[in-house]
Amino acid sequence: MTSIDTNKHKKAKALKPGSVRPAKELCSECGLCDTYYIHYVKEACAFITQRIDELETSTHNRPRNLEDENELYFGVHQEMIAARKQQPIEGAQWTGIVSTIAIAMLNRGLVEGVVCVQNTKEDRFQPMPIIARTPEEILAAKVNKPTLSPNLSVLEEIEKSGMKRLLVIGVGCQIQALRAVEKKLGLEKLYVLGTPCVDNVTRAGLQKFLETTSRSPETVVSYEFMQDFRVHFKHEDGSEEKVPFFGLKTNVLKDIFAPSCMSCFDYVNSLADIVVGYMGAPYPWQWIVVRNDTGKEMLELVKDQLDNQPVISEGNRKPAVQQGIKAYDDAVTLPMWVAQLMGVVIDKIGPKGLEYGRFSIDSHFARNYLYVKRNHPEKLEAHVPEFAKRIVGQYKLPE
Ligand code: FAD
Ligand code: SF4
Ligand code: SF4
């Protein structure tokens, strides 16, 4: 690549806030189009050109092994563990492993800056992407902003700052676009710390979800769709509220997820060096997937601050997934007391550990496959990655 090629993008113009993005209604607001890197949007946008398979090979030096069930579901990896901080970070989404890795990398001088997401002063859930240069700035980005976030909107600033070593924290769609332009950023080393991500919403959608589901929407500080088949809301006063998935008003909530997220097949953040989530681990542990040597280096930095245990897998998800596909398609909403009961029963006999992770992936991929087939049939073939086609192919889907 010549230097002329490398600089071409600087002539491109970022789009104005609020203007229609190239991916139109499928745009997940990843932030790329807020910068001159929009120049590469055709090959970088996860919703215009789906390139997970190809980018997995270039990032991890080998393709995902589709014959291995764990790789088929969780992507290229060297290691998976369940872990938790011995001393959790108060107010983090889980125990704060993401913030801890980022702080360790900055403190050891491995990176000069960390792309992460704080919130605006006015709104605790309104994302404000930044390049953190101190541990305090990283800590101020702890906890999920459970809404679409333009993390890549700071990319121009990175190039202008002259930074050579960078850590980016982000979700799958952001990371696909980042990997596609990685070589144009002028960095010596890029580290990528990913989280899984599913069912994301616009800020307005988030408000509707909170108002439809929680007893006190204005005091929610964080929430999570948990392995016990309930949404756990944490409130400002420290109290917890648990609402069974099976009691969610699916007929109302059906339309709140962003079209991008109804078309997304990168739940497990395939292109990150390391992924930190929870869904493959027993509650309240976190789940770590080390994808390559860079990810291993990142985990090693904090291992002495973690308890860890092997991942487990128990139960049989498939009947529950098949039933769920039908219930979702019929938009069945159960009365709350039946839902509570079903939640308890499923929790007792249901899938645990990696099998819960597969339950969640199967259910979401089946729903998203149907969404793309019905709303963007012309995109179906190229947009759904091979691994997702295999996963969905295990189930009987309605037309
Ligand atoms: P913390 O130390 O609290 O740090 C959180 C980090 O997340 C911060 O660095 C911040 O920059 C970043 N962040 C916050 N909001 C966003 C955003 N909107 N986009 C990009 N980055 C953001 N895990 C699962 O196992 N299954 C799921 O279904 C799942 N869904 C998720 C959906 C979303 C929208 C997000 C952001 C995360 C999701 N996760 C999921 C990951 C999980 O909820 C935790 O974020 C993860 O386990 C890290 O917890 P922590 O305590 O280590 O993070
Ligand atoms: Fe641009 Fe990102 Fe939207 Fe695609 S998802 S159109 S790259 S802002
Ligand atoms: Fe992006 Fe997929 Fe998360 Fe939506 S669900 S924000 S498209 S990674």
Side-chain angles (χ1 to χ4, degrees):
M1 186 73 47
T2 67
S3 60
I4 298 167
D5 276 336
T6 314
N7 282 323
K8 248 187 192 168
H9 55 261
K10 294 189 184 166
K11 295 209 181 84
K13 277 256 175 310
L15 289 181
K16 294 210 171 67
S19 57
V20 178
R21 279 14 198 174
K24 306 208 175 68
E25 78 276 16
L26 287 182
C27 172
S28 68
E29 298 170 27
C30 78
L32 187 89
C33 296
D34 303 335
T35 72
Y36 49 50
Y37 292 98
I38 188 178
H39 181 75
Y40 304 108
V41 68
K42 276 200 188 129
E43 61 262 36
C45 177
F47 305 96
I48 297 177
T49 317
Q50 184 280 120
R51 296 173 60 198
I52 298 178
D53 298 343
E54 171 200 342
L55 290 168
E56 261 182 337
T57 306
S58 56
T59 303
H60 309 307
N61 290 323
R62 68 173 179 86
R64 185 185 295 226
N65 178 359
L66 301 183
E67 305 308 323
D68 173 310
E69 199 188 28
N70 280 347
E71 288 233 343
L72 176 68
Y73 275 83
F74 307 120
V76 175
H77 63 275
Q78 299 181 347
E79 189 187 8
M80 281 196 275
I81 56 167
R84 62 180 179 197
K85 284 277 320 276
Q86 288 155 3
Q87 294 179 324
I89 297 179
E90 205 177 315
Q93 184 70 18
W94 281 75
T95 70
I97 295 177
V98 166
S99 301
T100 304
I101 292 176
I103 290 171
M105 292 181 71
L106 198 65
N107 284 344
R108 307 266 184 111
L110 283 178
V111 292
E112 296 151 275
V114 176
V115 174
C116 53
V117 192
Q118 297 180 349
N119 56 291
T120 61
K121 269 203 211 79
E122 303 74 37
D123 178 355
R124 68 197 185 292
F125 287 138
Q126 184 65 50
M128 187 175 76
I130 60 149
I131 306 170
R133 292 174 173 83
T134 65
E136 291 73 27
E137 286 171 339
I138 294 171
L139 273 181
K142 73 187 173 196
V143 82
N144 292 357
K145 286 39 152 202
T147 174
L148 301 176
S149 173
N151 283 30
L152 301 187
S153 59
V154 297
L155 284 190
E156 268 188 49
E157 215 186 297
I158 290 160
E159 194 166 18
K160 287 177 188 152
S161 74
M163 259 181 207
K164 292 290 170 213
R165 305 180 68 83
L166 183 77
L167 168 66
V168 175
I169 300 173
V171 298
C173 57
Q174 300 158 359
I175 302 308
Q176 180 181 320
L178 176 72
R179 288 297 191 196
V181 300
E182 175 174 356
K183 299 276 182 300
K184 324 282 182 188
L185 299 174
L187 296 171
E188 278 162 17
K189 177 76 183 170
L190 171 69
Y191 292 85
V192 179
L193 170 47
T195 70
C197 181
V198 77
D199 289 348
N200 215 344
V201 288
T202 60
R203 183 64 188 84
L206 171 61
Q207 204 55 35
K208 184 168 173 193
F209 169 70
L210 294 174
E211 284 167 12
T212 319
T213 314
S214 170
R215 61 169 155 75
S216 168
E218 63 289 349
T219 59
V220 172
V221 285
S222 66
Y223 69 84
E224 204 69 92
F225 287 77
M226 299 292 272
Q227 300 95 323
D228 65 358
F229 298 90
R230 293 177 181 79
V231 190
H232 291 201
F233 292 99
K234 277 192 208 150
H235 290 276
E236 272 164 9
D237 63 1
S239 66
E240 238 193 333
E241 174 189 7
K242 298 181 181 178
V243 180
F245 295 173
F246 302 98
L248 296 180
K249 298 189 178 65
T250 42
N251 48 351
V252 181
L253 296 177
K254 226 175 179 174
D255 299 328
I256 69 158
F257 301 124
S260 53
C261 309
M262 295 291 287
S263 321
C264 173
F265 296 91
D266 197 18
Y267 194 166
V268 298
N269 211 326
S270 316
L271 303 173
D273 297 312
I274 182 170
V275 178
V276 181
Y278 63 88
M279 66 180 181
Y283 177 74
W285 291 63
Q286 290 186 259
W287 170 61
I288 302 184
V289 185
V290 176
R291 299 208 180 284
N292 56 33
D293 289 342
T294 302
K296 188 167 181 221
E297 179 190 358
M298 292 156 77
L299 181 60
E300 286 304 322
L301 291 173
V302 301
K303 258 198 162 159
D304 59 347
Q305 301 181 54
L306 305 180
D307 292 328
N308 63 71
Q309 59 168 315
V311 283
I312 57 132
S313 187
E314 278 173 19
N316 175 13
R317 71 193 182 278
K318 287 193 176 166
V321 174
Q322 189 67 65
Q323 258 176 8
I325 293 172
K326 171 128 186 42
Y328 177 81
D329 213 51
D330 298 344
V332 171
T333 305
L334 301 172
M336 191 55 97
W337 66 270
V338 182
Q340 295 270 10
L341 207 66
M342 269 184 76
V344 172
V345 173
I346 292 216
D347 188 23
K348 289 249 160 52
I349 58 164
K352 300 229 161 35
L354 296 182
E355 187 69 358
Y356 176 82
R358 284 188 282 263
F359 165 82
S360 193
I361 291 171
D362 284 348
S363 310
H364 286 99
F365 281 14
R367 182 199 66 186
N368 289 9
Y369 186 88
L370 282 175
Y371 180 86
V372 178
K373 189 173 168 200
R374 289 170 181 172
N375 295 282
H376 301 278
E378 73 294 349
K379 285 183 88 74
L380 190 70
E381 183 51 32
H383 182 70
V384 183
E386 183 55 30
F387 62 82
K389 285 183 183 140
R390 288 207 190 186
I391 288 172
V392 171
Q394 301 170 104
Y395 296 96
K396 192 171 168 332
L397 300 188
E399 272 311 304

